Amino acid sequence: MPPEMGMGPACGAARAGVDGFMPRIALYPGSFDPVTNGHLDVVRQAVGLCDRLIIAIGVHSSKKPLFSTQERLDMVQAVFAPVAAKAGCAFDCTTYDNLTVAAAQKHGASIMIRGLRDGTDLDFEMQIAGMNETMAPEVQTVFVPASAAVRPITATLVRQIAGMGGDVSAFVPPLVAASLKTKSAG
């Protein structure tokens, strides 16, 4: 098999020539505060499942994020866009402040990507997927298991380690590590 095979979006060029082609749009929601190597792992897998990936950053007044909405959008764009481009997957990022499933519908997504680290994540995500299916049966939740190397990473732990002056370079992309260092120093 040539190296370029299996690297593009699902069904890639084969789908493009079909009359009535409808692109597979996937929404990957989260707070991305900050972007972690776990998020990056999910994106690397997700770009092979869709023709267009939309990263949706949840913005909720009850949460006090470390990074502003614009800083998170910039991080998402800088870290994930090259991964999507390399895979031949269209990419966009946006924000939302309502139900995640409503954001998926608004953007025409038929796939909702959810990363899973362990059984606890699965139990929680299955409940959400069931509720979402009732509200929007046209949006299919796709669970993406985290690779072993990134399973223990959470954005909460990354923020705590960085806030106490620890080295988070093993848990986040270099751009994010630099941003965390700047935030912690300020």
Side-chain angles (χ1 to χ4, degrees):
M1 174 191 298
E4 65 274 7
M5 290 193 61
M7 295 303 292
C11 304
R15 284 172 41 103
V18 177
D19 287 336
F21 165 69
M22 187 167 171
R24 292 181 193 185
I25 301 171
L27 184 99
Y28 178 25
S31 62
F32 302 97
D33 186 38
V35 169
T36 68
N37 288 341
H39 296 131
L40 182 56
D41 180 63
V42 170
V43 167
R44 284 184 177 133
Q45 295 179 65
V47 295
L49 302 173
C50 60
D51 302 298
R52 179 175 177 220
L53 178 63
I54 302 168
I55 303 295
I57 299 173
V59 178
H60 305 284
S61 59
S62 63
K63 290 190 174 184
K64 299 295 178 214
L66 176 62
F67 289 97
S68 72
T69 301
Q70 189 58 54
E71 287 171 321
R72 288 182 283 157
L73 283 166
D74 292 345
M75 273 192 280
V76 160
Q77 185 70 37
V79 173
F80 300 147
V83 174
K86 184 176 179 183
C89 180
F91 178 81
D92 198 8
C93 51
T94 188
T95 62
Y96 70 101
D97 62 1
N98 55 351
L99 292 172
T100 303
V101 74
Q105 289 173 313
K106 175 183 174 185
H107 292 283
S110 59
I111 301 168
M112 176 132 25
I113 301 290
R114 298 300 296 161
L116 297 177
R117 292 176 299 231
D118 57 26
T120 304
D121 281 356
L122 177 62
D123 290 342
F124 178 70
E125 293 293 343
M126 286 295 290
Q127 291 176 334
I128 294 172
M131 300 294 278
N132 286 343
E133 182 181 18
T134 299
M135 292 184 287
E138 73 280 8
V139 179
Q140 178 71 47
T141 300
V142 174
F143 297 123
V144 177
S147 299
V150 299
R151 281 188 196 135
I153 301 172
T154 70
T156 300
L157 290 175
V158 167
R159 285 192 308 272
Q160 289 174 348
I161 293 167
M164 294 179 177
D167 180 8
V168 295
S169 61
F171 312 121
V172 297
L175 171 104
V176 177
S179 296
L180 280 163
K181 195 168 196 159
T182 301
K183 275 279 187 207
S184 296

